[in-house]
Amino acid sequence: MALFAISDLHLPIGIDKPMDVFGAGWENYVARIADGWKKMVRDSDTVLVNGDVSWATYLEEALPDLQFIESLPGKKLISKGNHDYWWTTLSKLQAFTAEHHLDSITFMHNNSVLCEGYAICTCRGWRSPFERGFSAEDEKIYAREMARLTLSLKEGEKLSEKRIVMMHYPPEVGFSDILDAYNVQYCLYGHLHGKAAWDRFPQSDRDILVSADYLFFTPRYIAGDRENL
């Protein structure tokens, strides 16, 4: 039983909006995701999918993409990215998974769950206050996301001494301070692609970029019981 992670799947099945318009690196990426996933992940494993899952605008439109994820091995914990416009309340997401028998999918929404001995915590995060054009509205969202991360980690403290955080944006500035304060073992993030992703290399032992194209569409091993990985 092991934990893997991959983000930014940007699945186009529901609305036919493929990512190959962004370059050859994205050609045939849905099949590459399936192939890489099946090579690495067993049914007893869990995959953390931290945002930008589907290009759908509405939840019903996301169903084919979620069914694709459901068809892949392992359990899946899914959190929100900036392009997940189909995302709704946790209660509606849970009802949707039950209605459509998406039994291997659990949605993470500023909460915490225990998985393979780790408290899995989450928030979406937000853009860095050092980015050009960071506005007063950005500041409000930034503060709100930090508060959500803190609440999730407080809940996670009750579950385990070992904690993994699923974020979508990189853990800049204040987020990093919170991760330090709660002694987070791993922070998984995505959002970055292409040159922006490679410019961030090398990564820290804690903060790990798991954007799908950066991982060549193969989930990355994070922790757990698996030899030869």
Side-chain angles (χ1 to χ4, degrees), residues 89-108:
T89 65
L90 184 58
S91 60
K92 289 181 180 179
L93 290 169
Q94 291 170 336
F96 191 79
T97 57
E99 177 185 358
H100 295 284
H101 306 289
L102 305 172
D103 301 323
S104 69
I105 293 175
T106 298
F107 287 106
M108 301 289 295

PDB file of all heavy atoms in Angstrom, residues 89-108:
ATOM      1  N   THR A  89     -20.053  22.384  -3.665  1.00  0.00           N
ATOM      2  CA  THR A  89     -19.923  22.114  -2.233  1.00  0.00           C
ATOM      3  C   THR A  89     -19.547  20.654  -2.006  1.00  0.00           C
ATOM      4  O   THR A  89     -19.816  19.777  -2.839  1.00  0.00           O
ATOM      5  CB  THR A  89     -21.234  22.409  -1.503  1.00  0.00           C
ATOM      6  OG1 THR A  89     -22.237  21.500  -1.970  1.00  0.00           O
ATOM      7  CG2 THR A  89     -21.683  23.848  -1.751  1.00  0.00           C
ATOM      8  N   LEU A  90     -18.947  20.395  -0.853  1.00  0.00           N
ATOM      9  CA  LEU A  90     -18.521  19.032  -0.546  1.00  0.00           C
ATOM     10  C   LEU A  90     -19.715  18.082  -0.498  1.00  0.00           C
ATOM     11  O   LEU A  90     -19.634  16.948  -0.983  1.00  0.00           O
ATOM     12  CB  LEU A  90     -17.761  19.003   0.776  1.00  0.00           C
ATOM     13  CG  LEU A  90     -17.173  17.645   1.185  1.00  0.00           C
ATOM     14  CD1 LEU A  90     -16.219  17.119   0.119  1.00  0.00           C
ATOM     15  CD2 LEU A  90     -16.462  17.766   2.532  1.00  0.00           C
ATOM     16  N   SER A  91     -20.829  18.531   0.043  1.00  0.00           N
ATOM     17  CA  SER A  91     -22.007  17.662   0.133  1.00  0.00           C
ATOM     18  C   SER A  91     -22.523  17.293  -1.265  1.00  0.00           C
ATOM     19  O   SER A  91     -22.910  16.140  -1.506  1.00  0.00           O
ATOM     20  CB  SER A  91     -23.114  18.342   0.947  1.00  0.00           C
ATOM     21  OG  SER A  91     -23.511  19.561   0.347  1.00  0.00           O
ATOM     22  N   LYS A  92     -22.504  18.249  -2.193  1.00  0.00           N
ATOM     23  CA  LYS A  92     -22.953  17.956  -3.560  1.00  0.00           C
ATOM     24  C   LYS A  92     -21.970  17.024  -4.267  1.00  0.00           C
ATOM     25  O   LYS A  92     -22.385  16.129  -5.023  1.00  0.00           O
ATOM     26  CB  LYS A  92     -23.129  19.249  -4.351  1.00  0.00           C
ATOM     27  CG  LYS A  92     -24.329  20.077  -3.914  1.00  0.00           C
ATOM     28  CD  LYS A  92     -24.472  21.331  -4.755  1.00  0.00           C
ATOM     29  CE  LYS A  92     -25.678  22.145  -4.318  1.00  0.00           C
ATOM     30  NZ  LYS A  92     -25.822  23.393  -5.120  1.00  0.00           N
ATOM     31  N   LEU A  93     -20.683  17.222  -4.036  1.00  0.00           N
ATOM     32  CA  LEU A  93     -19.689  16.343  -4.637  1.00  0.00           C
ATOM     33  C   LEU A  93     -19.842  14.912  -4.111  1.00  0.00           C
ATOM     34  O   LEU A  93     -19.757  13.943  -4.875  1.00  0.00           O
ATOM     35  CB  LEU A  93     -18.287  16.864  -4.335  1.00  0.00           C
ATOM     36  CG  LEU A  93     -17.885  18.167  -5.040  1.00  0.00           C
ATOM     37  CD1 LEU A  93     -16.593  18.704  -4.448  1.00  0.00           C
ATOM     38  CD2 LEU A  93     -17.740  17.965  -6.541  1.00  0.00           C
ATOM     39  N   GLN A  94     -20.091  14.788  -2.820  1.00  0.00           N
ATOM     40  CA  GLN A  94     -20.271  13.460  -2.229  1.00  0.00           C
ATOM     41  C   GLN A  94     -21.531  12.789  -2.759  1.00  0.00           C
ATOM     42  O   GLN A  94     -21.525  11.583  -3.047  1.00  0.00           O
ATOM     43  CB  GLN A  94     -20.306  13.579  -0.709  1.00  0.00           C
ATOM     44  CG  GLN A  94     -18.962  13.956  -0.107  1.00  0.00           C
ATOM     45  CD  GLN A  94     -19.046  14.298   1.367  1.00  0.00           C
ATOM     46  OE1 GLN A  94     -20.105  14.682   1.874  1.00  0.00           O
ATOM     47  NE2 GLN A  94     -17.933  14.167   2.073  1.00  0.00           N
ATOM     48  N   ALA A  95     -22.589  13.548  -2.908  1.00  0.00           N
ATOM     49  CA  ALA A  95     -23.826  12.997  -3.463  1.00  0.00           C
ATOM     50  C   ALA A  95     -23.623  12.565  -4.918  1.00  0.00           C
ATOM     51  O   ALA A  95     -24.151  11.529  -5.352  1.00  0.00           O
ATOM     52  CB  ALA A  95     -24.945  14.024  -3.367  1.00  0.00           C
ATOM     53  N   PHE A  96     -22.825  13.337  -5.647  1.00  0.00           N
ATOM     54  CA  PHE A  96     -22.563  13.037  -7.054  1.00  0.00           C
ATOM     55  C   PHE A  96     -21.772  11.734  -7.185  1.00  0.00           C
ATOM     56  O   PHE A  96     -22.084  10.897  -8.038  1.00  0.00           O
ATOM     57  CB  PHE A  96     -21.791  14.196  -7.679  1.00  0.00           C
ATOM     58  CG  PHE A  96     -21.671  14.133  -9.174  1.00  0.00           C
ATOM     59  CD1 PHE A  96     -22.734  14.507  -9.987  1.00  0.00           C
ATOM     60  CD2 PHE A  96     -20.487  13.723  -9.771  1.00  0.00           C
ATOM     61  CE1 PHE A  96     -22.619  14.467 -11.370  1.00  0.00           C
ATOM     62  CE2 PHE A  96     -20.370  13.677 -11.149  1.00  0.00           C
ATOM     63  CZ  PHE A  96     -21.429  14.048 -11.952  1.00  0.00           C
ATOM     64  N   THR A  97     -20.763  11.546  -6.349  1.00  0.00           N
ATOM     65  CA  THR A  97     -19.987  10.310  -6.411  1.00  0.00           C
ATOM     66  C   THR A  97     -20.846   9.098  -6.051  1.00  0.00           C
ATOM     67  O   THR A  97     -20.711   8.037  -6.662  1.00  0.00           O
ATOM     68  CB  THR A  97     -18.758  10.363  -5.478  1.00  0.00           C
ATOM     69  OG1 THR A  97     -19.181  10.616  -4.137  1.00  0.00           O
ATOM     70  CG2 THR A  97     -17.791  11.450  -5.901  1.00  0.00           C
ATOM     71  N   ALA A  98     -21.743   9.264  -5.086  1.00  0.00           N
ATOM     72  CA  ALA A  98     -22.623   8.156  -4.711  1.00  0.00           C
ATOM     73  C   ALA A  98     -23.599   7.830  -5.838  1.00  0.00           C
ATOM     74  O   ALA A  98     -23.814   6.659  -6.175  1.00  0.00           O
ATOM     75  CB  ALA A  98     -23.380   8.508  -3.436  1.00  0.00           C
ATOM     76  N   GLU A  99     -24.169   8.871  -6.444  1.00  0.00           N
ATOM     77  CA  GLU A  99     -25.157   8.672  -7.514  1.00  0.00           C
ATOM     78  C   GLU A  99     -24.549   7.946  -8.710  1.00  0.00           C
ATOM     79  O   GLU A  99     -25.206   7.099  -9.339  1.00  0.00           O
ATOM     80  CB  GLU A  99     -25.708  10.024  -7.960  1.00  0.00           C
ATOM     81  CG  GLU A  99     -26.691   9.946  -9.114  1.00  0.00           C
ATOM     82  CD  GLU A  99     -27.129  11.315  -9.612  1.00  0.00           C
ATOM     83  OE1 GLU A  99     -26.698  12.346  -9.033  1.00  0.00           O
ATOM     84  OE2 GLU A  99     -27.901  11.364 -10.590  1.00  0.00           O
ATOM     85  N   HIS A 100     -23.303   8.277  -9.029  1.00  0.00           N
ATOM     86  CA  HIS A 100     -22.680   7.743 -10.243  1.00  0.00           C
ATOM     87  C   HIS A 100     -21.665   6.632  -9.952  1.00  0.00           C
ATOM     88  O   HIS A 100     -20.894   6.254 -10.831  1.00  0.00           O
ATOM     89  CB  HIS A 100     -22.016   8.879 -11.025  1.00  0.00           C
ATOM     90  CG  HIS A 100     -22.997   9.882 -11.548  1.00  0.00           C
ATOM     91  ND1 HIS A 100     -23.797   9.642 -12.634  1.00  0.00           N
ATOM     92  CD2 HIS A 100     -23.328  11.135 -11.101  1.00  0.00           C
ATOM     93  CE1 HIS A 100     -24.571  10.698 -12.861  1.00  0.00           C
ATOM     94  NE2 HIS A 100     -24.309  11.609 -11.947  1.00  0.00           N
ATOM     95  N   HIS A 101     -21.687   6.133  -8.720  1.00  0.00           N
ATOM     96  CA  HIS A 101     -20.859   4.985  -8.331  1.00  0.00           C
ATOM     97  C   HIS A 101     -19.368   5.243  -8.585  1.00  0.00           C
ATOM     98  O   HIS A 101     -18.648   4.375  -9.089  1.00  0.00           O
ATOM     99  CB  HIS A 101     -21.324   3.722  -9.077  1.00  0.00           C
ATOM    100  CG  HIS A 101     -22.781   3.438  -8.899  1.00  0.00           C
ATOM    101  ND1 HIS A 101     -23.321   2.992  -7.701  1.00  0.00           N
ATOM    102  CD2 HIS A 101     -23.829   3.573  -9.758  1.00  0.00           C
ATOM    103  CE1 HIS A 101     -24.627   2.848  -7.840  1.00  0.00           C
ATOM    104  NE2 HIS A 101     -24.968   3.197  -9.064  1.00  0.00           N
ATOM    105  N   LEU A 102     -18.937   6.428  -8.232  1.00  0.00           N
ATOM    106  CA  LEU A 102     -17.516   6.772  -8.293  1.00  0.00           C
ATOM    107  C   LEU A 102     -16.893   6.385  -6.952  1.00  0.00           C
ATOM    108  O   LEU A 102     -16.467   7.220  -6.161  1.00  0.00           O
ATOM    109  CB  LEU A 102     -17.347   8.266  -8.591  1.00  0.00           C
ATOM    110  CG  LEU A 102     -18.054   8.772  -9.864  1.00  0.00           C
ATOM    111  CD1 LEU A 102     -17.974  10.291  -9.954  1.00  0.00           C
ATOM    112  CD2 LEU A 102     -17.455   8.116 -11.111  1.00  0.00           C
ATOM    113  N   ASP A 103     -16.845   5.103  -6.725  1.00  0.00           N
ATOM    114  CA  ASP A 103     -16.581   4.584  -5.384  1.00  0.00           C
ATOM    115  C   ASP A 103     -15.130   4.747  -4.931  1.00  0.00           C
ATOM    116  O   ASP A 103     -14.846   4.698  -3.737  1.00  0.00           O
ATOM    117  CB  ASP A 103     -16.974   3.109  -5.317  1.00  0.00           C
ATOM    118  CG  ASP A 103     -18.449   2.888  -5.639  1.00  0.00           C
ATOM    119  OD1 ASP A 103     -19.271   3.738  -5.236  1.00  0.00           O
ATOM    120  OD2 ASP A 103     -18.768   1.877  -6.297  1.00  0.00           O
ATOM    121  N   SER A 104     -14.211   4.918  -5.871  1.00  0.00           N
ATOM    122  CA  SER A 104     -12.802   5.034  -5.489  1.00  0.00           C
ATOM    123  C   SER A 104     -12.371   6.487  -5.285  1.00  0.00           C
ATOM    124  O   SER A 104     -11.219   6.745  -4.953  1.00  0.00           O
ATOM    125  CB  SER A 104     -11.915   4.396  -6.565  1.00  0.00           C
ATOM    126  OG  SER A 104     -11.931   5.163  -7.765  1.00  0.00           O
ATOM    127  N   ILE A 105     -13.298   7.439  -5.472  1.00  0.00           N
ATOM    128  CA  ILE A 105     -12.967   8.862  -5.411  1.00  0.00           C
ATOM    129  C   ILE A 105     -13.473   9.475  -4.114  1.00  0.00           C
ATOM    130  O   ILE A 105     -14.644   9.318  -3.747  1.00  0.00           O
ATOM    131  CB  ILE A 105     -13.561   9.621  -6.618  1.00  0.00           C
ATOM    132  CG1 ILE A 105     -12.867   9.173  -7.913  1.00  0.00           C
ATOM    133  CG2 ILE A 105     -13.448  11.128  -6.435  1.00  0.00           C
ATOM    134  CD1 ILE A 105     -13.459   9.776  -9.173  1.00  0.00           C
ATOM    135  N   THR A 106     -12.595  10.197  -3.433  1.00  0.00           N
ATOM    136  CA  THR A 106     -12.956  11.006  -2.273  1.00  0.00           C
ATOM    137  C   THR A 106     -12.513  12.438  -2.533  1.00  0.00           C
ATOM    138  O   THR A 106     -11.351  12.673  -2.905  1.00  0.00           O
ATOM    139  CB  THR A 106     -12.272  10.493  -0.994  1.00  0.00           C
ATOM    140  OG1 THR A 106     -12.714   9.157  -0.732  1.00  0.00           O
ATOM    141  CG2 THR A 106     -12.597  11.381   0.207  1.00  0.00           C
ATOM    142  N   PHE A 107     -13.417  13.380  -2.348  1.00  0.00           N
ATOM    143  CA  PHE A 107     -13.077  14.782  -2.558  1.00  0.00           C
ATOM    144  C   PHE A 107     -12.581  15.406  -1.262  1.00  0.00           C
ATOM    145  O   PHE A 107     -13.148  15.188  -0.190  1.00  0.00           O
ATOM    146  CB  PHE A 107     -14.290  15.560  -3.075  1.00  0.00           C
ATOM    147  CG  PHE A 107     -14.632  15.242  -4.511  1.00  0.00           C
ATOM    148  CD1 PHE A 107     -15.733  14.453  -4.828  1.00  0.00           C
ATOM    149  CD2 PHE A 107     -13.841  15.724  -5.533  1.00  0.00           C
ATOM    150  CE1 PHE A 107     -16.040  14.155  -6.142  1.00  0.00           C
ATOM    151  CE2 PHE A 107     -14.135  15.423  -6.861  1.00  0.00           C
ATOM    152  CZ  PHE A 107     -15.240  14.652  -7.164  1.00  0.00           C
ATOM    153  N   MET A 108     -11.514  16.170  -1.393  1.00  0.00           N
ATOM    154  CA  MET A 108     -10.923  16.890  -0.276  1.00  0.00           C
ATOM    155  C   MET A 108     -11.278  18.364  -0.412  1.00  0.00           C
ATOM    156  O   MET A 108     -11.017  18.974  -1.448  1.00  0.00           O
ATOM    157  CB  MET A 108      -9.409  16.728  -0.275  1.00  0.00           C
ATOM    158  CG  MET A 108      -8.934  15.292  -0.183  1.00  0.00           C
ATOM    159  SD  MET A 108      -9.225  14.588   1.448  1.00  0.00           S
ATOM    160  CE  MET A 108      -8.128  15.602   2.439  1.00  0.00           C
TER     161      MET A 108
END
